[in-house]
Amino acid sequence: MINDNPSSICKLPKAIKKEIKPLDADNISVFIKAIKENRFEILYLVTMFTGMRQGEILGLKWECVDFKNGVIKIDKQLQKEKKPGGKYFFSSLKNNKSREITPAPYVMELLKKQRTNQIENRLKAGSIWEDTGLVFTDEIGKNLPSITVYKEFKRIAQKIAMPHLRFHDLRHTYAVLSLKNGDNLKVIQKNLGHHDASFTINIYGHVSDDMKRKSSKHMEELIMSNLNL
């Protein structure tokens, strides 16, 4: 029997949307200076300027980097078994859908530099090199442990007096930069790998509100200019 008494229906708690804390323009400069010459400098920069998730950047393979066309294919992520001594493995993406992104040419140049660095490490390692095909590896070709990358990131965050900063905030930074740059919302959604644009705008709604206010101001200026007021 269906209970049609509203007062007796159990009300579910509202979902609390986590506050995002992307880097602003000033903090981006501070962060870039802080990671200069760091062993993970290129990894952090590529993450911030592509919006890739940590598992996606750590699982990126050279076969997915198309230098000729300036495209990166994101089709898997590197995960660790959730148990003591768990092994790393490749898994499908969060929404089970691969995507291609066309990052800024600067990002592709960073990846070329990373390839050169890796070739040098490979020559030094010699026979102990492990050919994993990964873009970001340790000195002998093995995958980078996510906890190592994260701990170094948090050390840098503490150093620049931003202890709240999380690795995932690099992804948020990319999204906010794209929105403020006026990029098409559908393109941003595709680049981030969200299942639809409404999900994207739900996360970054505060940015779109700011853009609406700026749009209103620009329209007002245009009206006044055309009316000679």
Side-chain angles (χ1 to χ4, degrees), residues 94-108:
K94 199 167 183 179
N95 61 1
N96 293 316
K97 190 175 181 180
S98 63
R99 66 189 189 275
E100 283 191 353
I101 62 173
T102 305
Y106 171 73
V107 171
M108 302 308 288

Side-chain angles (χ1 to χ4, degrees), residues 113-129:
K113 183 178 179 182
Q114 174 61 18
R115 186 171 62 174
T116 299
N117 293 343
Q118 194 179 80
I119 291 172
E120 291 175 356
N121 284 335
R122 183 170 188 162
L123 291 173
K124 290 177 184 177
S127 61
I128 63 171
W129 178 265

Side-chain angles (χ1 to χ4, degrees), residues 37-214:
E37 304 301 327
N38 185 280
R39 57 178 171 156
F40 300 138
E41 177 186 5
I42 296 177
L43 186 153
Y44 293 146
L45 288 174
V46 172
T47 302
M48 183 164 62
F49 294 129
T50 62
M52 278 191 262
R53 299 179 178 91
Q54 187 182 48
E56 294 171 347
I57 192 75
L58 293 180
L60 182 65
K61 288 196 168 190
W62 287 116
E63 63 190 32
C64 294
V65 180
D66 183 350
F67 287 110
K68 182 179 179 181
N69 296 304
V71 171
I72 299 173
K73 183 179 181 180
I74 305 170
D75 60 2
K76 56 188 166 297
Q77 56 182 331
L78 191 66
Q79 298 288 306
K80 186 181 180 183
E81 294 175 329
K82 295 181 179 179
K83 62 180 182 180
K87 296 181 180 180
Y88 282 91
F89 65 96
F90 289 107
S91 69
S92 56
L93 299 181
K94 199 167 183 179
N95 61 1
N96 293 316
K97 190 175 181 180
S98 63
R99 66 189 189 275
E100 283 191 353
I101 62 173
T102 305
Y106 171 73
V107 171
M108 302 308 288
E109 289 303 315
L110 284 173
L111 290 174
K112 287 179 182 178
K113 183 178 179 182
Q114 174 61 18
R115 186 171 62 174
T116 299
N117 293 343
Q118 194 179 80
I119 291 172
E120 291 175 356
N121 284 335
R122 183 170 188 162
L123 291 173
K124 290 177 184 177
S127 61
I128 63 171
W129 178 265
E130 293 192 24
D131 193 8
T132 58
L134 291 167
V135 172
F136 296 101
T137 65
D138 65 11
E139 291 79 2
I140 60 172
K142 290 184 177 180
N143 70 276
L144 293 172
S146 55
I147 189 64
T148 302
V149 173
Y150 186 77
K151 281 185 175 180
E152 179 62 12
F153 179 84
K154 292 301 290 184
R155 186 191 68 79
I156 294 167
Q158 288 282 352
K159 180 181 176 182
I160 58 178
M162 287 189 277
H164 65 275
L165 198 64
R166 306 165 304 161
F167 189 91
H168 200 68
D169 290 326
L170 296 179
R171 175 173 165 85
H172 290 319
T173 299
Y174 166 78
V176 170
L177 285 174
S178 296
L179 282 166
K180 289 187 174 181
N181 190 47
D183 293 352
N184 181 279
L185 181 59
K186 195 68 178 176
V187 172
I188 297 172
Q189 173 234 321
K190 294 288 187 183
N191 285 343
L192 291 172
H194 290 160
H195 58 274
D196 58 48
S198 63
F199 182 83
T200 307
I201 207 64
N202 183 50
I203 298 176
Y204 305 106
H206 68 290
V207 182
S208 64
D209 289 341
D210 182 53
M211 291 168 63
K212 287 175 184 177
R213 286 189 288 271
K214 287 182 179 178

